[in-house]
Every structure is written in structure tokens, then in C-alpha cells.
Amino acid sequence: MPSKPKAKPAAATRRASSSFARYGNAAAAAAVVAAAVMASLYGSTLPPPPTNVSDSAGRVPESSEPPVIRAEGAASAEQASGGDEHPACGEWAASGECERNPAYMGKAQRVPVDWSLPELPPDLATAQRESDEAPPRAAGGARPRCVDERPDCASLARANLSACGEAAFMLQRLLAMARDEEEGDQLAEDGCTRDPTIDAVTKRMTRTAPAWIAGVPEENAEYFQILKYEPGQFYRTHHDQQSAHWTPQGVRVYTFFVYLSDAGGGTRFTDLGITVTPKLGRAVLWPSVLDSDLLTGEREPKTHHEAVTVEAGVKYAANLWIHLYDFKSPSRAGECPFLGQNTHNGR
Ligand SMILES: O=C(O)CCC(=O)C(=O)O
Ligand SMILES: [Fe+2]
């Protein structure tokens, strides 16, 4: 009985003041951070080419298993991303992968992935330095252990650790709220009501990852959408940029995604061949729109993703979608028009 928690409509009634200027290169920086997070999560072993990337219609074979890449150490983002420059590309081609695995190999040739890391913009670099210098916030005095050589690894690890405490708190809250819910899959905000507890956690989480979303006003975030998947449930390939550029809240620039349990199927980035494994407190940030497309809403083509079918256990997670403009003011005004087109399985 496959299903996906349905996104509820969000509010929008008037155009809020633009915060466009505050983004600068934030989306590009977010791509960098997402790469760093992914690189810090995954290992140095070169994965085989993914065999189950979606086809051009976004379909993913039901039976195939996602390539879950895990190990200690760090893979370079380039290694994890595929692309023409992938070190194993020639080897794969020579061994017949182009015929066996045309979706991945063809895509890799058409859309070489550019994970070159530009310098962090000054505001992000400052936020990151401050985060590095701040005393660790969390969890039994434990210091985050950094297995990655990247200079920004410590702050990312700390953000992850801090998020862990928040995630546990959030899950507790979620379960309390779930008592009367039949489905139990959309428990945070529907864009028209506000829960002060969840809101407080949102604020803290926003501060928890200052280097990730520096310069983005908290008002630009939607409310956490809490997800619950039972065995057999999934959410097939889609893109999170579902908000028209002409709406008051503008496009969804980022997704901040936090796992609230260790169980369940991962989040698979179908164009990148990367699967993030759920772990309580683990968070991933990815951009849905590049800087150049903030005003058109064109989707960042590399961040299509899916929730892999949960085989056992119950998966809890939370989405926080962050817009180009103030989302909360129009939302509080009380109207809830649909955000935009539903791109489930859409490209
Ligand atoms: O559950 C997941 O891993 C991803 C969920 C997702 O992509 C979404 O709700 O938009
Ligand atoms: Fe999504």
C-alpha cells in the first residue's frame, strides 16, 4: 500500500518584501555544503555505477535496490557524483555498462556533474568560523568526531550532533501529536496553524546550522513537515521545487531534511546515485534552484530524489522547505492556496 505523506497547501496572500539580495551565492554554497555533507557521510570506496536511476520520465524500477554507499573516511564529491570525469567511467564503459546501464551512463555523458567547490562567500565563511569557535552545544559533552579532511567538516559534524538532540525532542513531540491521527504522516504544520513548540524547534534548528543557511531569514522557512513511513511505503522520484516563482513566497530554494529515526529506506538522489541512510539527527541540506534561476523557478537538475521503500521498521523524518521570500507572513494571513504544481515523478 504505497503512499506518500501529502504536502498540505501553504499560505500566500500578499507579496512579502524581497530577500533576494541576501542570498547572493547561497544556493551555490548550499550545493557545496550538500556535497560536503554527503562526502562526510560516505566513504572512500568507489561505488559501482548506479543501476536504478530514473529514466527520462522519472520512473524507477520497483525491484531494484538503491546503491547505498557507506564507509569510513571520505569520498571526493566528484567520486560520489558520477559524470564524464568519473574516475571509473572508462572502466565501466569498457566492461559493458553503457549497454547494461544506459540510463546512468547516458545521463552521465549528457550532464557532466560539476562539483567544483567555489570559495565560500564571506558571510557564510564568517558564520562557519563562528560555529567552529563556539562551544559545542550538545549531547552529553561528546565532541563530534570528524573523519573528513575538509576544513568545514567540524562545523558540519557539530551541526549534525546538535540536530540530534533537537531531532529526539521533535520525535517525542511528533509522537504526542500523532496519538489522534489516523495516518500520522502530516503532523507538523499545514501552513495555516502554528504550533509554538514546533516553531521553537524550527528556530533552534535554523540556528543549529548557521553555516548552512546563513543569511536566510527564518521567516522564509515553511513549517516542518513530519513524515512517517511504514514498511512498504515510499515516495518516488520527484523534485522539491514546487512553488511558482510568482507566488508571494517565491521558489523553494533549499530543502533541509532531518531524519528522526534510524530505520527505513534512505533518501536517494537519483541523478547523483547517492543514497543518504536515515540516522536519528542526521540532516541533509540541498538546493532546489541555482542562483541563476531564483527568479524563474527552474529546477536544479541534480537534486531529484526519492524516498526508498521502507523494508522494516518505521521511518520518521522532517522536511523544512526554505523559500526565496518570506513564507510565514502570507501564511499567517490565513489563506492557503496551493503552492504550485505537483511534480511527483515530474521532471
Ligand atoms: O523521506 C525521504 O527520504 C524524502 C522525502 C521527500 O523527499 C519529501 O517529502 O519531499
Ligand atoms: Fe522531496
Side-chain angles (χ1 to χ4, degrees):
M1 182 227 9
S3 75
K4 160 63 178 72
K6 287 179 278 305
K8 296 227 176 131
T13 53
R14 66 184 169 79
R15 177 161 287 281
S17 66
S18 161
S19 59
F20 175 71
R22 302 184 66 171
Y23 277 89
N25 282 324
V32 172
V33 171
V37 172
M38 289 175 175
S40 71
L41 293 176
Y42 300 112
S44 54
T45 315
L46 265 185
T51 54
N52 55 345
V53 292
S54 54
D55 63 17
S56 61
R59 290 181 295 264
V60 177
E62 292 283 329
S63 58
S64 54
E65 280 302 309
V68 178
I69 310 160
R70 52 171 107 76
E72 296 296 318
S76 75
E78 188 188 16
Q79 283 172 336
S81 67
D84 275 339
E85 282 80 38
H86 196 293
C89 192
E91 201 182 302
W92 289 338
S95 69
E97 281 298 334
C98 293
E99 291 71 43
R100 262 197 306 279
N101 195 2
Y104 177 81
M105 297 300 280
K107 190 175 287 294
Q109 282 157 20
R110 279 199 309 280
V111 190
V113 176
D114 177 10
W115 275 120
S116 55
L117 304 181
E119 260 182 50
L120 286 177
D123 55 342
L124 207 56
T126 304
Q128 186 176 298
R129 198 167 47 250
E130 283 168 3
S131 162
D132 279 344
E133 287 162 5
R137 287 184 61 205
R143 298 282 309 194
R145 198 171 67 86
C146 216
V147 294
D148 196 335
E149 300 299 322
R150 307 177 78 92
D152 54 358
C153 178
S155 62
L156 295 175
R158 184 172 303 148
N160 203 9
L161 182 74
S162 301
C164 188
E166 309 284 31
F169 172 83
M170 205 166 166
L171 182 58
Q172 202 181 15
R173 177 73 188 159
L174 151 73
L175 293 174
M177 292 169 74
R179 274 198 304 264
D180 302 326
E181 295 276 341
E182 223 169 76
E183 294 279 325
D185 59 10
Q186 164 76 39
L187 298 167
E189 287 288 344
D190 66 2
C192 271
T193 57
R194 287 167 63 77
D195 180 291
T197 315
I198 294 290
D199 204 39
V201 174
T202 307
K203 279 201 166 69
R204 285 208 303 276
M205 282 237 195
T206 306
R207 288 202 299 265
T208 292
W212 294 10
I213 40 184
V216 180
E218 196 262 334
E219 288 70 30
N220 292 25
E222 294 185 30
Y223 302 96
F224 273 108
Q225 183 197 47
I226 309 282
L227 308 175
K228 177 187 181 189
Y229 300 77
E230 305 213 24
Q233 294 189 311
F234 56 81
Y235 185 13
R236 286 296 175 241
T237 309
H238 66 281
H239 201 282
D240 285 353
Q241 170 19 29
Q242 302 184 10
S243 181
H245 64 90
W246 44 262
T247 56
Q249 68 273 11
V251 299
R252 279 177 175 168
V253 185
Y254 305 110
T255 296
F256 181 61
F257 193 75
V258 189
Y259 298 93
L260 301 176
S261 65
D262 292 333
T267 307
R268 196 165 75 89
F269 291 83
T270 48
D271 299 293
L272 298 175
I274 292 176
T275 301
V276 181
T277 307
K279 182 175 183 339
L280 176 68
R282 175 170 287 168
V284 190
L285 177 78
W286 69 86
S288 290
V289 182
L290 295 177
D291 280 359
S292 50
D293 297 322
L294 288 173
L295 297 180
T296 65
E298 196 68 31
R299 295 175 189 128
E300 152 62 276
K302 292 195 287 286
T303 50
H304 293 95
H305 55 280
E306 68 166 345
V308 175
T309 307
V310 172
E311 301 294 344
V314 179
K315 170 181 171 184
Y316 290 101
N319 271 314
L320 187 65
W321 290 296
I322 299 168
H323 286 263
L324 181 57
Y325 305 118
D326 180 355
F327 173 88
K328 291 201 164 88
S329 300
S331 175
R332 281 178 198 128
E335 285 183 21
C336 292
F338 188 51
L339 268 181
Q341 62 180 135
N342 186 343
T343 61
H344 177 66
N345 269 347
R347 307 295 289 176

